[in-house]
Amino acid sequence: MVRAVNLRATPIAGSYQASVLIVLLLALASATGALALYERFEKQLLVDKQRIAGNLLIDNDFYGEFELGERMREIARDPFVRRSLSAAFGQPEAVRQRIARQYLGDYFDKYESSITLYDEAGDPLDAPPGTPSLVEARAELERIASPTDQRGVYLLHSVNPFSSRRYVAQITVPGTRVSGFGLPLGAVRVELTLKKLTTYSVLPELLVDQKFFQPGLATELSYAGYTQDRLVYSEGDFDYANRLPANLLADKRLFEGGVSRAGYHHYAVRGSSARTVVVTTATYSPGDWLANFSFQFLLSSFFWLLVIGLLLLLRGRPVARLRLNFSTRIQLLLNVGIVVPLVVVSVATASQLIASYQRDLSRTYERRGQLALESLRRQRHLLSDSSARPTLAALAKNVAGLTETDLNLYDVHGELLASSQPLIFEAGLLGPLLNPQAVVELREQNRQRALLTERAGSLSFNALYLPVRAGAGEVVMEDLGGHALGDNGPRKAKDAGRRRTAASPAPLANSFDEDSADDTALPTGPILGYVGIPFFDSEKELNTKLTELFTTILNIFTLMFLLFLGLAFVAARQLTAPLKLITEKLTKTTLTGENELLDYRSSDDEIGLLVREYNTMLTKLEASKRELAAQEKEAAWREMARQVAHEIKNPLTPMKLSLQFLQKAITERRANADELIGRISQTLITQIDVLSDIATSFSNFTNLPAMRPERLDVASILRRCTALHQPDADDGALELHLPPDAETGRYLVFADENLLVRTFNNLLINARQAVPEGREPHIDVSLESVNSGRVRVTISDNGAGIPDDVRDKVFVPNFTTKETGSGIGLAVAKRGIESAGGQVWFETKVGVGTHFFIELPLAG
């Protein structure tokens, strides 16, 4: 990735490339995490499908049969059950609740239970009309059911081999035995039906491990049963008859890992008796993977931003003081300008859609509640039998099944009469009293409905409450629970009929009792009770919609963020590319070499103006460089002429005086003229040699001889030079320090021999001449190897040192501190050493001495 986008592997501090690299790493890590979640989901989904299919193919629940037989015997021995059945005025409903709560919990939670109690004569107690007697029920069991290994436990068969598993268990509750004989107190019959997996089930049994499923996938699960490859049973929304070809059942892949087809994944398991179960779920779409990627990417990005912000605060370095380059600021501003509108639009869209979802759900709840109330009105002849509590329970379950909702019936005092989900109240998750807020809104504020938010354990849900009213003008004395309404009941009914408000719903046609006049409108009489419809799946449904909404927003936000991040990066590079080009050219701009003009196509923008000014500056610089070169050359010639004139004047003056003295002696015809001629001639010859030496020195500096490099042994050359300058015994000392391996030929360099000899000789002569009079000269010469394959020669003296004001002029041509000499030697030596790839420098201390160092690379 770094190479693809042409990033540096080590970004500099304050550069935008560091953040781009971090974003790339976060994107890579998030993509990997999303793939890992996908693999986890696929494996767990396959395991769950195998378990679902296995449960559907099981005929007998052997462990459940054993447990049911044991618990039936415990029920028969329960003192409360025995006492209630033997009492003249027992409490059948309390017995049923005790049996369901204490003996049919835990393992049997996956079964729907129905409990029937019989007296000593075998007649049902407090049961709906039409319930058979104990003898009739036992005969029916022997006809349609198969006995199991447990006594009194039967398995009911069905024409459909995939229908829900049903068990019926009966046991007689014995009375007190005298001499081994005693009449039974009654009997208990328990019917268990395995809960089916449906979309509207509050507690789905076949998907207990929903934590492994992504939100929204559980409701899309469907399954079907095949006998002899013929579809006989199906549950769910998937259309197996038309969308699953029959020849797909012959595909081996369907039974191994499943087959994906048209957005659905099918997995099949074969059972006994040529039965096959196919379980279907929606496939893991790219949108699901993108949702996981987006969530992980944004979460990790927020985490690292928080960490970096905390680090900046702890270090006391605010964001305003961060040193960001121009490219970083451009891209940062572009990204901020993109992210802020995206966040604002996302929040605004989410709030609007959430409000719309909540309104739609409220309308849906109200429509379903109205359907439930209409169903109750059609069967209100059953409501009049307020003394038969089982009748109300059966009515509640019947209406709940028709409207696909749960239903609770309350009396006028708000006490629970019947429920389609009695286990919720028996488990204590909900109280048996009506929500007081519903009473306030329906009774005191005379509202048509009340939609409230309630909790059952950890589950939050919406509950709709509706009043059950008598018809206008109808005289009623009791509510649904059998409680007297009082003398003002009919009067209130008439007043309510006259006080119909605009909030009352419009009249609805009733096709059930067309001959009744008040069936054409909603009842407006006194309140007989209340209907509570808890939508246990309301929070789940809202969460599912919100999850889909936020998933879509996250996906769009992440894709737009990454897209604009790349565009901002490219845009910043395009904008700063000319600046980088100018920077590179500026670094290469020199006063000695050739400078190239910049070629920029868009010459009308701001950068084009900058390029134009840069090119103008280069043109002026070239002109200035030529003028400066001419001035420097002229100054150099003037300086050279002055120096040469100064050097030549010095010997010319004694020559002129000598010739004038000789001329005067000849004119006066002195006796020692011949001697004077010889002495003066010698003086002239000496001064002429000085002039010749000056001319030769300048010639050598201006015309350095051509280099003839060769492999040379530095130790050997240094030994010869020091031997040549070895002083007399009474003229100081010159010591040479060579390494032990100097004779092995290790210290070889690639240089010109004459240059090295001249350099060493010049430095040795200068070292001796630097010692002031009255001090015994002491010169040390050493050779050593240094790191990186180089050799160093050090020549030290105990002279007067070099003053501070002339140290910068030591290697300047024509500079010298001696009375004689041209000052060319050190300049020539420096040029020669540097041309051989080495360097020469010195360290000095006034009054103590000077150390000259020559460093050369060893020959390979």
Side-chain angles (χ1 to χ4, degrees):
M1 286 184 173
V2 170
R3 291 186 177 181
V5 296
N6 194 22
L7 290 174
R8 287 189 294 271
T10 55
I12 59 175
S15 172
Y16 189 75
Q17 296 199 37
S19 58
V20 172
L21 283 175
I22 292 175
V23 169
L24 288 177
L25 288 175
L26 291 178
L28 181 61
S30 302
T32 307
L35 289 176
L37 283 176
Y38 166 72
E39 292 293 332
R40 168 76 175 177
F41 171 81
E42 288 291 317
K43 291 179 181 178
Q44 186 61 43
L45 184 62
L46 189 61
V47 171
D48 288 336
K49 286 183 177 180
Q50 292 172 350
R51 182 168 55 83
I52 291 170
N55 287 339
L56 292 172
L57 290 172
I58 290 177
D59 290 327
N60 289 65
D61 184 358
F62 296 104
Y63 179 77
E65 294 171 2
F66 172 77
E67 282 289 321
L68 184 58
E70 290 291 324
R71 297 189 184 187
M72 291 299 293
R73 285 186 284 272
E74 292 176 3
I75 292 172
R77 294 192 297 267
D78 189 297
F80 179 78
V81 175
R82 295 167 59 87
R83 187 167 56 251
S84 298
L85 291 179
S86 63
F89 301 98
Q91 298 177 342
E93 183 62 25
V95 175
R96 280 192 289 266
Q97 291 182 6
R98 178 178 177 84
I99 293 174
R101 183 167 54 251
Q102 185 166 341
Y103 297 103
L104 298 181
D106 299 331
Y107 182 81
F108 295 104
D109 284 340
K110 57 185 176 182
Y111 288 93
E112 296 282 357
S113 62
S114 175
I115 303 170
T116 305
L117 303 178
Y118 296 92
D119 58 14
E120 67 275 6
D123 296 328
L125 294 174
D126 196 16
T131 302
S133 65
L134 182 62
V135 175
E136 295 171 345
R138 186 170 296 165
E140 181 71 12
L141 272 180
E142 293 176 354
R143 185 177 64 85
I144 65 173
S146 299
T148 64
D149 294 338
Q150 303 296 320
R151 184 179 178 182
V153 179
Y154 296 86
L155 174 66
L156 273 70
H157 295 287
S158 174
V159 178
N160 185 357
F162 297 96
S163 62
S164 295
R165 191 185 313 129
R166 295 176 60 197
Y167 283 101
V168 174
Q170 294 184 159
I171 193 167
T172 301
V173 180
T176 304
R177 296 178 179 272
V178 179
S179 300
F181 178 79
L183 295 175
L185 300 177
V188 177
R189 174 189 172 98
V190 175
E191 183 174 347
L192 300 179
T193 304
L194 185 67
K195 297 176 183 178
K196 292 194 299 182
L197 176 66
T198 61
T199 304
Y200 306 101
S201 177
V202 179
L203 302 171
E205 185 270 337
L206 294 176
L207 274 182
V208 176
D209 298 328
Q210 292 191 39
K211 61 184 178 181
F212 297 113
F213 286 81
Q214 296 296 324
L217 289 182
T219 57
E220 299 179 13
L221 183 139
S222 304
Y223 55 91
Y226 291 82
T227 301
Q228 301 291 344
D229 293 341
R230 183 173 59 86
L231 180 65
V232 296
Y233 178 77
S234 66
E235 282 286 348
D237 297 331
F238 187 79
D239 187 2
Y240 288 93
N242 298 316
R243 301 184 62 182
L244 189 68
N247 57 4
L248 191 62
L249 296 176
D251 193 344
K252 294 182 178 180
R253 298 176 301 168
L254 185 65
F255 301 89
E256 294 173 354
V259 175
S260 296
R261 185 184 182 94
Y264 288 90
H265 181 269
H266 309 280
Y267 179 74
V269 175
R270 290 193 184 278
S272 59
S273 304
R275 293 186 302 164
T276 303
V277 171
V278 179
V279 184
T280 302
T281 56
T283 56
Y284 197 92
S285 64
D288 298 322
W289 176 88
L290 183 60
N292 289 328
F293 166 79
S294 302
F295 179 75
Q296 294 186 61
F297 176 76
L298 294 179
L299 184 63
S300 55
S301 300
F302 176 77
F303 171 76
W304 283 111
L305 283 176
L306 185 62
V307 169
I308 293 173
L310 290 176
L311 288 177
L312 291 175
L313 290 177
L314 292 176
R315 292 182 179 180
R317 188 179 183 183
V319 179
R321 294 178 57 188
L322 288 177
R323 296 180 179 178
L324 304 177
N325 55 30
F326 183 65
S327 175
T328 303
R329 291 198 296 270
I330 290 177
Q331 296 177 70
L332 188 61
L333 291 175
L334 286 176
N335 286 323
V336 170
I338 293 165
V339 171
V340 171
L342 277 178
V343 171
V344 173
V345 171
S346 300
V347 171
T349 304
S351 60
Q352 291 292 330
L353 290 179
I354 290 173
S356 176
Y357 287 159
Q358 292 175 341
R359 287 194 298 269
D360 292 342
L361 286 177
S362 299
R363 296 192 192 100
T364 303
Y365 299 153
E366 292 175 2
R367 285 196 297 268
R368 291 169 67 180
Q370 196 63 39
L371 287 176
L373 190 59
E374 287 293 325
S375 299
L376 287 175
R377 288 185 60 223
R378 293 190 181 96
Q379 303 182 52
R380 67 171 180 266
H381 60 284
L382 298 177
L383 293 175
S384 61
D385 189 6
S386 59
S387 61
R389 187 65 61 87
T391 302
L392 291 178
L395 177 61
K397 290 187 177 182
N398 184 25
V399 174
L402 291 174
T403 59
E404 294 181 338
T405 59
D406 293 309
L407 193 74
N408 302 324
L409 287 177
Y410 299 89
D411 61 16
V412 73
H413 299 295
E415 295 181 357
L416 181 68
L417 298 176
S419 174
S420 61
Q421 288 285 355
L423 291 177
I424 296 179
F425 295 93
E426 294 171 6
L429 297 177
L430 285 180
L433 297 178
L434 185 67
N435 191 326
Q437 183 64 31
V439 177
V440 171
E441 293 188 16
L442 298 178
R443 191 176 189 88
E444 297 182 6
Q445 300 179 7
N446 199 27
R447 289 190 178 180
Q448 180 179 331
R449 61 186 64 85
L451 183 61
L452 306 176
T453 301
E454 298 184 355
R455 297 191 67 86
S458 60
L459 177 66
S460 177
F461 61 93
N462 291 328
L464 180 67
Y465 294 95
L466 301 169
V468 180
R469 294 180 178 273
E474 181 181 357
V475 178
V476 291
M477 303 300 296
E478 296 180 346
D479 67 352
L480 298 182
H483 304 102
L485 292 178
D487 297 337
N488 58 349
R491 186 170 62 251
K492 286 188 177 181
K494 294 178 182 179
D495 294 340
R498 286 192 292 266
R499 291 197 311 265
R500 290 189 60 186
T501 62
S504 301
L508 296 176
N510 193 321
S511 59
F512 186 76
D513 290 330
E514 293 181 354
D515 56 343
S516 179
D518 49 31
D519 281 341
T520 60
L522 288 177
T524 57
I527 296 178
L528 305 178
Y530 302 95
V531 175
I533 304 175
F535 297 95
F536 294 108
D537 60 344
S538 59
E539 184 180 31
K540 179 181 176 182
E541 186 175 358
L542 180 60
N543 289 340
T544 300
K545 289 183 176 295
L546 294 182
T547 301
E548 294 175 356
L549 169 65
F550 286 117
T551 297
T552 304
I553 292 177
L554 278 180
N555 292 342
I556 295 175
F557 184 88
T558 304
L559 290 178
M560 296 293 288
F561 175 74
L562 292 177
L563 175 63
F564 283 114
L565 183 70
L567 291 177
F569 182 72
V570 173
R573 280 200 165 183
Q574 294 292 330
L575 292 174
T576 57
L579 300 178
K580 291 182 179 179
L581 179 61
I582 294 174
T583 303
E584 293 176 0
K585 294 297 183 181
L586 286 175
T587 56
K588 296 178 181 179
T589 303
T590 177
L591 295 175
T592 57
E594 293 292 332
N595 298 317
E596 297 181 2
L597 298 177
L598 288 177
D599 184 14
Y600 185 71
R601 297 179 181 178
S602 301
S603 59
D604 296 333
D605 55 12
E606 290 78 1
I607 299 179
L609 296 176
L610 180 61
V611 170
R612 229 177 16 242
E613 291 298 324
Y614 172 77
N615 290 336
T616 303
M617 181 197 70
L618 282 186
T619 304
K620 294 179 179 179
L621 181 62
E622 289 296 326
S624 300
K625 185 170 65 174
R626 288 192 296 268
E627 183 179 355
L628 180 61
Q631 292 177 358
E632 286 184 348
K633 186 181 295 184
E634 183 179 351
W637 279 112
R638 285 199 301 267
E639 180 64 24
M640 183 64 71
R642 186 189 63 79
Q643 187 68 27
V644 171
H646 175 73
E647 294 292 337
I648 291 176
K649 270 185 182 181
N650 291 335
L652 287 180
T653 300
M655 290 174 66
K656 178 180 179 181
L657 293 176
S658 298
L659 289 176
Q660 288 177 347
F661 182 74
L662 179 60
Q663 184 181 12
K664 181 178 181 182
I666 294 174
T667 303
E668 294 177 353
R669 299 183 182 272
R670 295 184 182 181
N672 59 346
D674 294 335
E675 180 183 355
L676 290 175
I677 290 173
R679 192 172 66 227
I680 292 174
S681 297
Q682 185 63 39
T683 301
L684 293 176
I685 291 172
T686 301
Q687 297 301 325
I688 290 172
D689 289 338
V690 172
L691 291 175
S692 177
D693 182 63
I694 292 173
T696 302
S697 297
F698 280 105
S699 177
N700 290 337
F701 177 72
T702 55
N703 298 306
L704 192 64
M707 299 289 293
R708 292 187 295 274
E710 56 182 324
R711 294 171 68 88
L712 302 173
D713 188 352
V714 178
S716 177
I717 296 175
L718 198 59
R719 191 181 294 110
R720 293 203 314 264
C721 292
T722 54
L724 179 63
H725 294 275
Q726 195 65 246
D728 297 334
D730 58 350
D731 195 18
L734 190 152
E735 296 181 5
L736 175 63
H737 304 280
L738 295 177
D741 55 352
E743 301 297 333
T744 60
R746 175 188 172 188
Y747 300 96
L748 298 178
V749 297
F750 200 66
D752 186 278
E753 183 175 4
N754 293 330
L755 175 65
L756 285 183
V757 171
R758 288 176 58 188
T759 301
F760 293 155
N761 287 338
N762 189 287
L763 292 177
L764 289 171
I765 292 172
N766 289 345
R768 180 171 291 276
Q769 293 176 352
V771 179
E773 294 183 5
R775 183 184 298 181
E776 182 179 348
H778 187 84
I779 301 172
D780 285 333
V781 181
S782 63
L783 177 68
E784 61 180 342
S785 62
V786 294
N787 295 332
S788 304
R790 300 174 77 85
V791 62
R792 181 182 297 169
V793 177
T794 305
I795 300 176
S796 305
D797 62 63
N798 60 339
I802 303 174
D804 295 339
D805 56 343
V806 298
R807 288 179 184 179
D808 296 337
K809 303 177 182 179
V810 170
F811 296 106
V812 175
N814 306 325
F815 174 78
T816 179
T817 58
K818 298 180 290 185
E819 296 180 357
T820 60
S822 60
I824 301 299
L826 289 179
V828 173
K830 180 177 176 64
R831 288 184 58 182
I833 293 298
E834 290 178 348
S835 63
Q839 55 181 339
V840 57
W841 72 97
F842 67 90
E843 295 177 0
T844 183
K845 186 178 290 186
V846 178
V848 178
T850 304
H851 304 276
F852 272 89
F853 303 96
I854 298 174
E855 195 172 288
L856 291 168
L858 290 172

